[in-house]
Amino acid sequence: MFPYCKYSEENITSYLESVTLRDAERSLAAQTSTFTDFLNFISPSAADLMPAMREKAAMIKRMHFGKTVRVYSPLYVSNFCINDCLYCGFRTSYCDHQRRRLTKAEVMQEAAIIKSYGINSLLLVSGEDPKGASVDYFVDIVSELKKMFSYISIEIYPMAQTDYRRLFEAGVHGLTLYQETYDRETYGKLHLKGPKSDYSARLDAMVAGGEAGFYNLGLGALLGLYNWRSEAVSLAAHGLWLRKKFWRSKIQFSFPRITPVEGGFDPLAPVNEAELEQLMLAFRLFFHEADLYISTRESHQFRALSARNCASHVSAASQVVPGGYYDEEQRKQDLGQFTVNDSCSVEQVSEDLAHEGLKVIFKDWDPCLGS
Ligand code: SF4
């Protein structure tokens, strides 16, 4: 459980079991939602209320985001990693593949392809590779990339506040860092080696990011590692805690669900699609203005449905290996972080979102607004 949550896991579990359908209906009818309402939305009883939850979540989404949905793409720069997260294809103990770190020229080549899709919002992703993909490396590539993209965010590895600040000043405006699981015991079993084995240091890194001034702070739990309802409570509590501390920054939530990885990993607490949808709807019903992300780990149909009802951001045409956009051979042979379930082009994703009545936005941010 998120350490600053005032409820214990036992309290939460017994409360969730006690929620009735009537409680959940009352929460759904309320004008504004409390944390108790959030708990009611994720309760087993609320699973019978999905059509009504969809309808209200879609209305809230329309109130705050209009008919828009933002589309972005990730750019993987390195699959070297000094950590050994058992669920990840990049883990250090998985030695069957050659690793790759892109040079600046290769990064720009990848970026040009992403830009040619019409994408204006870029997420830089890397394994924990502080020697090769160092702070200097990121400062250097971001100084070029910011000439091409209006918004750059990072999902790399925890850094000190001063390093985050350097990246912010170079042009990175969003930080995403998943805690993976908020359950300390499970965390310890899954993160055996490397700096990531320190649960508290990972939590503290998001605070360093807030202090460094990032405009957007993205949180997430990797769904499938631990009981999803417990993770949902921790994720929400983490979001509320960060929002209070860094009220100038926007808190964002992602809902990555484990998909097959090279080397194999079976989810410890599998989450099905209906449960994922309930979780995302609960977040939209409680966090009205928050950005909710859905990645290509999920199917095309599920992503379109999520975008209509709750998700504000969807990725498209994602390649999850360094060099995957320009080098088809690399894409087939190299080590991916996870299995992509929606490999549709940006054009196809946009078309299908338009069928849902949504207007696709490629430009998520204007730097002049933040200066
Ligand atoms: S999850 Fe991140 S830190 Fe862990 S092995 Fe994969 S890339 Fe490295």
Side-chain angles (χ1 to χ4, degrees):
M1 186 64 62
F2 175 62
Y4 305 113
C5 182
K6 63 179 179 181
Y7 307 107
S8 70
E9 181 145 10
E10 291 69 36
N11 294 153
I12 296 290
T13 309
S14 73
Y15 178 75
L16 289 175
E17 280 165 7
S18 74
V19 175
T20 63
L21 182 61
R22 186 74 199 104
D23 294 330
E25 283 171 339
R26 254 196 306 271
S27 291
L28 202 53
Q31 288 274 335
T32 52
S33 301
T34 62
F35 197 71
T36 305
D37 293 321
F38 173 75
L39 296 179
N40 293 348
F41 297 142
I42 61 166
S43 69
S45 292
D48 294 334
L49 269 188
M50 293 289 277
M53 282 173 66
R54 271 185 213 124
E55 203 179 307
K56 181 146 184 206
M59 188 192 80
I60 292 169
K61 194 196 154 199
R62 269 197 308 279
M63 272 166 53
H64 293 277
F65 296 86
K67 290 183 176 175
T68 64
V69 60
R70 318 297 215 284
V71 175
Y72 69 98
S73 291
L75 195 170
Y76 280 69
V77 298
S78 170
N79 57 10
F80 283 89
C81 190
I82 55 175
N83 290 310
D84 205 19
C85 313
L86 297 187
Y87 46 81
C88 178
F90 291 175
R91 66 189 183 276
T92 189
S93 63
Y94 189 58
C95 307
D96 292 6
H97 274 267
Q98 269 202 321
R99 308 273 171 158
R100 183 169 182 181
R101 180 183 311 117
L102 302 185
T103 62
K104 185 175 177 183
E106 288 169 329
V107 169
M108 298 317 290
Q109 207 173 338
E110 291 277 89
I113 296 172
I114 294 173
K115 185 77 184 181
S116 74
Y117 299 155
I119 300 277
N120 213 336
S121 180
L122 188 71
L123 172 66
L124 289 175
V125 188
S126 171
E128 185 151 355
D129 177 22
K131 286 204 177 127
S134 62
V135 180
D136 288 343
Y137 169 92
F138 281 107
V139 167
D140 191 30
I141 60 174
V142 167
S143 60
E144 282 302 311
L145 290 169
K146 74 177 178 191
K147 297 174 191 160
M148 295 170 74
F149 296 91
S150 63
Y151 179 70
I152 299 171
S153 57
I154 48 169
E155 188 182 325
I156 48 175
Y157 51 88
M159 289 180 181
Q161 186 201 330
T162 45
D163 291 333
Y164 276 145
R165 185 68 199 178
R166 283 187 65 205
L167 293 183
F168 174 77
E169 283 166 1
V172 176
H173 290 145
L175 168 68
T176 293
L177 192 69
Y178 301 150
Q179 188 63 22
E180 316 292 12
T181 172
Y182 288 89
D183 181 66
R184 263 184 203 272
E185 201 184 320
T186 308
Y187 189 97
K189 286 181 190 155
L190 293 168
H191 304 99
L192 301 173
K193 282 189 220 150
K196 195 167 169 181
S197 53
D198 187 339
Y199 177 105
S200 303
R202 195 157 182 91
L203 267 187
D204 292 346
M206 196 41 119
V207 174
E211 284 164 350
F214 288 115
Y215 302 134
N216 293 314
L217 299 173
L219 303 175
L222 185 56
L223 300 169
L225 299 183
Y226 193 66
N227 177 302
W228 72 266
R229 289 191 166 92
S230 173
E231 299 286 43
V233 174
S234 290
L235 187 60
H238 194 179
L240 291 172
W241 183 79
L242 268 184
R243 191 170 70 180
K244 204 166 167 192
K245 233 174 161 43
F246 303 109
W247 53 270
R248 285 194 179 91
S249 302
K250 192 167 192 190
I251 307 300
Q252 307 175 315
F253 298 100
S254 300
F255 305 92
R257 194 164 60 129
I258 292 178
T259 58
V261 292
E262 295 199 47
F265 178 79
D266 291 327
L268 307 175
V271 179
N272 64 36
E273 218 171 64
E275 292 167 332
L276 174 61
E277 189 189 4
Q278 186 181 354
L279 167 63
M280 293 183 68
L281 292 172
F283 268 79
R284 176 55 69 219
L285 291 167
F286 184 48
F287 291 96
H288 290 193
E289 294 171 42
D291 293 338
L292 305 188
Y293 281 68
I294 188 81
S295 77
T296 52
R297 288 172 183 263
E298 300 303 328
S299 71
H300 189 66
Q301 291 75 8
F302 181 81
R303 280 158 34 86
L305 178 78
S306 305
R308 189 180 63 201
N309 296 330
C310 50
S312 54
H313 288 66
V314 301
S315 51
S318 304
Q319 297 299 335
V320 295
V321 299
Y325 291 96
Y326 75 84
D327 188 341
E328 202 171 329
E329 278 314 300
Q330 187 78 27
R331 193 185 312 163
K332 284 186 203 142
Q333 289 168 16
D334 214 348
L335 190 58
Q337 192 180 30
F338 58 86
T339 305
V340 167
N341 272 321
D342 182 358
S343 51
C344 292
S345 66
V346 172
E347 212 175 6
Q348 184 68 56
V349 170
S350 306
E351 226 171 78
D352 292 344
L353 291 173
H355 279 144
E356 295 291 339
L358 294 164
K359 185 169 167 36
V360 173
I361 306 286
F362 292 112
K363 184 175 181 178
D364 188 22
W365 183 262
D366 199 321
C368 74
L369 297 174
S371 56

